């Protein structure tokens, strides 16, 4: 499964989020390739799942899950785990 985390510039925030998403996938036994991108690069990508914040979500097409934080592992898990499981089942 391919997951892309997205932030405005693709430098720090999405990279931290990608690490948290990879940790969640590993803990749940979900095989995933997690990559971080800026919004411009992500807009032409076709992953199984995008993970981003609500401000950027409308700019993405496809399967998008919104998280409340780029760094808070508990909030990210609460917001994204079910969507990750669903995307994994369909990948």
């Amino acid at each position: 499964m391919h997951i892309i985390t997205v932030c405005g510039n693709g430098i720090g925030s999405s990279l931290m989020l990608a690490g948290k998403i990879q940790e969640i996938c590993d803990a749940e036994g979900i095989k995933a390739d997690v990559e971080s991108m800026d919004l411009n690069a992500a807009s032409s990508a076709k992953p199984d799942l995008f993970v981003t914040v609500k401000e950027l979500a409308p700019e993405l097409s496809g399967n998008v899950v919104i998280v409340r934080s780029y760094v808070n592992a508990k909030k990210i898990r609460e917001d994204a785990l079910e969507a990750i499981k669903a995307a994994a089942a369909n990948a």
Side-chain angles (χ1 to χ4, degrees):
M1 176 171 68
H2 185 210
I3 300 173
I4 295 178
T5 60
V6 183
C7 70
N9 294 322
I11 298 169
S13 301
S14 62
L15 188 58
M16 288 186 286
L17 180 57
K20 300 295 183 191
I21 295 295
Q22 188 67 63
E23 289 173 12
I24 292 168
C25 291
D26 292 346
E28 294 292 324
I30 298 170
K31 188 173 178 358
D33 173 28
V34 184
E35 180 179 9
S36 63
M37 288 187 181
D38 65 80
L39 184 59
N40 287 335
S43 62
S44 62
K46 302 289 182 208
D48 297 300
L49 182 66
F50 284 111
V51 183
T52 193
V53 291
K54 67 181 177 182
E55 294 82 6
L56 301 179
E59 305 297 322
L60 300 167
S61 61
N63 192 4
V64 181
V65 64
I66 296 170
V67 294
R68 294 170 284 167
S69 171
Y70 282 114
V71 295
N72 184 309
K74 183 175 186 258
K75 287 181 181 178
I76 293 166
R77 185 178 186 83
E78 289 171 358
D79 296 341
L81 182 56
E82 292 308 312
I84 292 168
K85 287 180 178 179
N90 294 324

